Protein backbone atom coordinates (compact mmCIF):
# COMPACT_ATOMS: atom_id res chain seq x y z
CA UNK A 1 0.00 0.00 0.00
CA UNK A 2 1.33 3.41 -0.96
CA UNK A 3 1.74 5.88 1.90
CA UNK A 4 -0.44 8.52 0.20
CA UNK A 5 -2.83 7.53 -2.56
CA UNK A 6 -4.78 9.65 -4.99
CA UNK A 7 -6.77 8.80 -8.09
CA UNK A 8 -4.55 9.84 -10.97
CA UNK A 9 -7.45 10.96 -13.16
CA UNK A 10 -7.91 12.73 -15.32
CA UNK A 11 -11.00 13.96 -13.54
CA UNK A 12 -13.17 15.90 -15.95
CA UNK A 13 -15.99 18.19 -14.78
CA UNK A 14 -18.06 20.83 -16.55
CA UNK A 15 -17.63 24.48 -15.68
CA UNK A 16 -19.70 25.43 -12.66
CA UNK A 17 -19.81 21.89 -11.23
CA UNK A 18 -18.29 20.61 -8.01
CA UNK A 19 -14.97 18.81 -8.37
CA UNK A 20 -14.19 16.24 -5.67
CA UNK A 21 -10.61 15.12 -5.13
CA UNK A 22 -9.74 12.33 -2.73
CA UNK A 23 -6.66 11.21 -0.86
CA UNK A 24 -6.01 8.35 1.56
CA UNK A 25 -2.96 7.92 3.74
CA UNK A 26 -1.52 5.00 5.63
CA UNK A 27 0.25 6.51 8.68
CA UNK A 28 -2.17 7.06 11.57
CA UNK A 29 0.39 9.30 13.28
CA UNK A 30 0.24 11.98 10.56
CA UNK A 31 -1.08 15.30 11.84
CA UNK A 32 -0.83 17.80 8.97
CA UNK A 33 -2.51 17.54 5.59
CA UNK A 34 -2.05 19.78 2.60
CA UNK A 35 -3.49 20.29 -0.86
CA UNK A 36 -1.27 21.90 -3.47
CA UNK A 37 -2.25 22.93 -6.97
CA UNK A 38 0.32 22.67 -9.75
CA UNK A 39 -0.06 24.02 -13.24
CA UNK A 40 2.01 22.39 -15.96
CA UNK A 41 5.60 23.60 -15.80
CA UNK A 42 5.01 25.64 -12.63
CA UNK A 43 5.74 25.04 -8.97
CA UNK A 44 3.22 23.71 -6.40
CA UNK A 45 0.98 26.34 -4.85
CA UNK A 46 -0.63 25.78 -1.46
CA UNK A 47 -4.42 25.65 -1.67
CA UNK A 48 -5.44 24.34 1.73
CA UNK A 49 -4.01 22.98 4.93
CA UNK A 50 -6.05 21.05 7.49
CA UNK A 51 -5.09 19.57 10.85
CA UNK A 52 -8.36 18.68 12.64
CA UNK A 53 -11.21 16.37 11.75
CA UNK A 54 -14.04 18.04 9.91
CA UNK A 55 -14.35 20.65 7.20
CA UNK A 56 -12.32 23.74 6.48
CA UNK A 57 -13.59 26.23 3.94
CA UNK A 58 -11.71 28.92 2.04
CA UNK A 59 -13.64 30.59 -0.75
CA UNK A 60 -14.60 27.97 -3.33
CA UNK A 61 -12.41 25.34 -1.69
CA UNK A 62 -13.35 23.00 1.14
CA UNK A 63 -10.98 20.48 2.67
CA UNK A 64 -12.41 17.57 4.63
CA UNK A 65 -10.42 15.40 7.04
CA UNK A 66 -11.42 12.11 8.62
CA UNK A 67 -8.54 10.72 10.65
CA UNK A 68 -10.44 7.58 11.66
CA UNK A 69 -10.85 6.65 7.99
CA UNK A 70 -7.42 8.11 7.08
CA UNK A 71 -9.04 10.16 4.37
CA UNK A 72 -8.71 13.76 3.24
CA UNK A 73 -10.59 15.37 0.39
CA UNK A 74 -10.77 18.67 -1.48
CA UNK A 75 -13.99 20.01 -2.92
CA UNK A 76 -13.91 22.79 -5.49
CA UNK A 77 -17.26 24.50 -5.93
CA UNK A 78 -18.25 26.41 -9.06
CA UNK A 79 -15.28 24.93 -10.93
CA UNK A 80 -13.62 27.22 -13.46
CA UNK A 81 -11.41 26.39 -16.44
CA UNK A 82 -8.58 28.10 -14.52
CA UNK A 83 -8.87 25.32 -11.91
CA UNK A 84 -7.56 22.84 -14.50
CA UNK A 85 -4.31 21.60 -12.98
CA UNK A 86 -2.80 18.73 -11.06
CA UNK A 87 -3.77 18.62 -7.39
CA UNK A 88 -1.21 17.11 -5.04
CA UNK A 89 -2.10 15.75 -1.61
CA UNK A 90 0.73 15.88 0.94
CA UNK A 91 0.81 14.47 4.46
CA UNK A 92 3.47 15.05 7.09
CA UNK A 93 5.49 12.01 8.05
CA UNK A 94 4.60 11.01 11.58
CA UNK A 95 7.32 12.01 13.99
CA UNK A 96 9.01 14.24 11.43
CA UNK A 97 7.40 17.62 10.90
CA UNK A 98 9.92 18.58 8.27
CA UNK A 99 9.07 15.82 5.82
CA UNK A 100 6.02 15.54 3.60
CA UNK A 101 4.83 12.37 1.92
CA UNK A 102 3.29 13.15 -1.45
CA UNK A 103 0.57 11.51 -3.48
CA UNK A 104 1.09 11.18 -7.21
CA UNK A 105 -1.49 13.88 -7.90
CA UNK A 106 -4.89 14.04 -9.57
CA UNK A 107 -5.22 15.79 -12.90
CA UNK A 108 -8.36 17.93 -13.08
CA UNK A 109 -9.84 19.25 -16.32
CA UNK A 110 -12.69 21.76 -16.13
CA UNK A 111 -14.48 21.99 -19.45
CA UNK A 112 -16.10 25.28 -20.53
CA UNK B 1 4.05 37.77 2.05
CA UNK B 2 4.78 34.13 1.29
CA UNK B 3 7.37 34.63 -1.41
CA UNK B 4 10.30 32.37 -2.09
CA UNK B 5 12.52 33.44 -4.97
CA UNK B 6 14.79 31.24 -7.06
CA UNK B 7 17.45 32.04 -9.64
CA UNK B 8 18.02 31.30 -12.42
CA UNK B 9 14.64 30.39 -13.90
CA UNK B 10 16.29 28.21 -16.53
CA UNK B 11 19.74 26.64 -16.67
CA UNK B 12 21.41 24.58 -19.38
CA UNK B 13 24.71 22.98 -18.48
CA UNK B 14 27.12 20.41 -19.78
CA UNK B 15 28.16 17.38 -17.81
CA UNK B 16 31.53 18.92 -16.92
CA UNK B 17 30.20 22.30 -15.80
CA UNK B 18 29.89 23.66 -12.28
CA UNK B 19 26.86 25.80 -11.56
CA UNK B 20 24.79 26.91 -8.59
CA UNK B 21 21.09 27.37 -7.93
CA UNK B 22 20.03 30.05 -5.49
CA UNK B 23 16.99 30.41 -3.26
CA UNK B 24 16.00 33.28 -0.99
CA UNK B 25 13.17 33.98 1.44
CA UNK B 26 12.53 36.94 3.72
CA UNK B 27 9.67 35.53 5.76
CA UNK B 28 11.83 34.66 8.76
CA UNK B 29 11.37 30.97 8.06
CA UNK B 30 13.91 28.71 9.74
CA UNK B 31 13.56 25.61 7.57
CA UNK B 32 14.45 25.47 3.89
CA UNK B 33 14.22 22.63 1.41
CA UNK B 34 15.49 21.48 -1.96
CA UNK B 35 13.28 19.24 -4.05
CA UNK B 36 13.69 17.68 -7.49
CA UNK B 37 10.64 17.14 -9.65
CA UNK B 38 10.39 15.14 -12.86
CA UNK B 39 7.45 15.48 -15.25
CA UNK B 40 4.19 13.96 -13.98
CA UNK B 41 5.77 13.02 -10.64
CA UNK B 42 5.43 14.62 -7.21
CA UNK B 43 8.33 16.61 -5.73
CA UNK B 44 11.14 14.41 -4.44
CA UNK B 45 12.86 15.66 -1.30
CA UNK B 46 16.62 16.14 -1.53
CA UNK B 47 17.76 18.21 1.46
CA UNK B 48 16.34 20.03 4.47
CA UNK B 49 18.07 22.75 6.44
CA UNK B 50 16.67 23.58 9.85
CA UNK B 51 18.12 26.60 11.66
CA UNK B 52 20.89 26.66 9.04
CA UNK B 53 21.99 23.12 9.79
CA UNK B 54 21.51 20.21 7.42
CA UNK B 55 18.87 18.05 9.06
CA UNK B 56 17.80 15.74 6.22
CA UNK B 57 19.84 14.40 3.32
CA UNK B 58 17.84 11.90 1.31
CA UNK B 59 20.92 10.01 0.11
CA UNK B 60 21.43 12.44 -2.73
CA UNK B 61 24.52 11.85 -4.98
CA UNK B 62 27.51 13.99 -4.04
CA UNK B 63 27.36 15.82 -7.37
CA UNK B 64 24.65 17.86 -5.59
CA UNK B 65 26.03 19.93 -2.72
CA UNK B 66 23.75 22.13 -0.62
CA UNK B 67 24.82 25.21 1.30
CA UNK B 68 22.94 27.48 3.70
CA UNK B 69 25.00 30.69 4.15
CA UNK B 70 22.39 32.29 6.41
CA UNK B 71 18.78 31.94 7.46
CA UNK B 72 17.47 33.60 4.29
CA UNK B 73 19.61 31.94 1.64
CA UNK B 74 19.96 28.43 0.31
CA UNK B 75 22.24 27.31 -2.51
CA UNK B 76 22.54 24.09 -4.44
CA UNK B 77 25.93 23.56 -6.05
CA UNK B 78 25.98 21.32 -9.10
CA UNK B 79 28.99 19.52 -10.53
CA UNK B 80 29.43 16.71 -13.06
CA UNK B 81 25.73 16.19 -13.49
CA UNK B 82 24.19 13.54 -15.70
CA UNK B 83 21.44 14.01 -18.31
CA UNK B 84 19.02 12.17 -16.00
CA UNK B 85 19.45 15.02 -13.51
CA UNK B 86 17.47 17.27 -15.85
CA UNK B 87 14.38 18.31 -13.89
CA UNK B 88 12.59 21.17 -12.15
CA UNK B 89 14.45 22.04 -8.96
CA UNK B 90 12.24 23.52 -6.30
CA UNK B 91 13.13 25.41 -3.17
CA UNK B 92 10.64 25.65 -0.31
CA UNK B 93 10.59 27.18 3.13
CA UNK B 94 8.46 26.82 6.23
CA UNK B 95 8.43 28.56 9.61
CA UNK B 96 10.21 25.61 11.22
CA UNK B 97 8.86 26.39 14.64
CA UNK B 98 5.73 24.30 15.06
CA UNK B 99 4.11 20.95 14.60
CA UNK B 100 2.00 21.98 11.65
CA UNK B 101 4.49 23.77 9.43
CA UNK B 102 3.34 24.65 5.94
CA UNK B 103 5.85 24.60 3.11
CA UNK B 104 5.84 27.41 0.55
CA UNK B 105 7.49 26.83 -2.79
CA UNK B 106 9.52 29.07 -5.03
CA UNK B 107 8.93 29.15 -8.79
CA UNK B 108 11.66 26.61 -9.48
CA UNK B 109 14.69 26.35 -11.74
CA UNK B 110 14.28 24.30 -14.91
CA UNK B 111 17.60 22.48 -15.33
CA UNK B 112 18.70 20.80 -18.54
CA UNK B 113 21.91 18.76 -18.56
CA UNK B 114 23.35 18.09 -22.00
Amino acid sequence: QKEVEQNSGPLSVPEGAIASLNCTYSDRGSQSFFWYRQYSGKSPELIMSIYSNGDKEDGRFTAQLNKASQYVSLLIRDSQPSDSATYLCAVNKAGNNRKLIWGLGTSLAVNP
Amino acid sequence: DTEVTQTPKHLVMGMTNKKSLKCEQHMGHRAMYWYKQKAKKPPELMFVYSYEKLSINESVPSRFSPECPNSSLLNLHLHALQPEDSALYLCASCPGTGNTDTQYFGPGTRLTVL
Side-chain angles (χ1 to χ4, degrees):
Chain A
Q1 182 189 6
K2 293 179 184 170
E3 292 184 89
V4 177
E5 292 204 58
Q6 298 180 247
N7 291 332
S8 61
L11 173 65
S12 183
V13 300
E15 184 174 355
I18 296 175
S20 178
L21 305 163
N22 303 316
C23 174
T24 59
Y25 61 96
S26 60
D27 193 338
R28 287 194 173 275
S30 295
Q31 298 181 18
S32 306
F33 307 87
F34 305 93
W35 283 101
Y36 287 86
R37 177 176 64 195
Q38 188 170 27
Y39 294 113
S40 180
K42 303 295 185 181
S43 65
E45 173 191 8
L46 180 72
I47 297 296
M48 292 284 282
S49 58
I50 187 166
Y51 311 107
S52 304
N53 280 329
D55 295 359
K56 179 182 177 182
E57 187 175 318
D58 183 1
R60 296 186 296 113
F61 299 95
T62 299
Q64 299 174 316
L65 175 61
N66 184 324
K67 290 186 179 179
S69 301
Q70 295 174 248
Y71 174 92
V72 57
S73 66
L74 180 70
L75 299 178
I76 306 174
R77 289 182 300 281
D78 188 24
S79 295
Q80 301 297 309
S82 58
D83 295 325
S84 299
T86 295
Y87 289 80
L88 293 160
C89 173
V91 176
N92 84 295
K93 187 171 177 62
N96 187 337
N97 299 326
R98 301 288 171 261
K99 189 167 181 177
L100 292 177
I101 308 300
W102 296 82
L104 295 181
T106 298
S107 175
L108 172 66
V110 180
N111 305 307
Chain B
D1 184 10
T2 54
E3 187 177 21
V4 177
T5 59
Q6 291 186 244
T7 55
K9 287 186 172 54
H10 301 276
L11 178 62
V12 178
M13 61 187 289
M15 289 190 283
T16 59
N17 292 158
K18 286 184 181 181
K19 296 287 185 183
S20 297
L21 309 184
K22 296 186 184 302
C23 174
E24 189 167 6
Q25 57 87 14
H26 294 289
M27 297 177 280
H29 288 177
R30 302 313 302 267
M32 296 183 76
Y33 302 71
W34 281 116
Y35 286 90
K36 171 183 177 180
Q37 188 177 28
K38 293 279 214 178
K40 300 191 186 302
K41 299 287 187 184
E44 179 185 342
L45 184 62
M46 300 175 73
F47 303 103
V48 182
Y49 274 81
S50 182
Y51 289 82
E52 297 147 60
K53 294 191 188 310
L54 184 64
S55 64
I56 298 177
N57 177 340
E58 294 288 272
S59 301
V60 177
S62 60
R63 58 185 184 268
F64 295 91
S65 175
E67 179 195 18
C68 188
N70 60 54
S71 60
S72 300
L73 292 173
L74 187 65
N75 298 323
L76 186 63
H77 303 297
L78 313 172
H79 173 56
L81 295 191
Q82 304 297 308
E84 59 266 28
D85 296 320
S86 298
L88 180 66
Y89 286 82
L90 296 163
C91 175
S93 72
C94 76
T97 57
N99 293 325
T100 56
D101 280 344
T102 301
Q103 294 183 28
Y104 298 93
F105 285 84
T109 293
R110 174 70 61 186
L111 174 67
T112 303
V113 182
L114 301 176

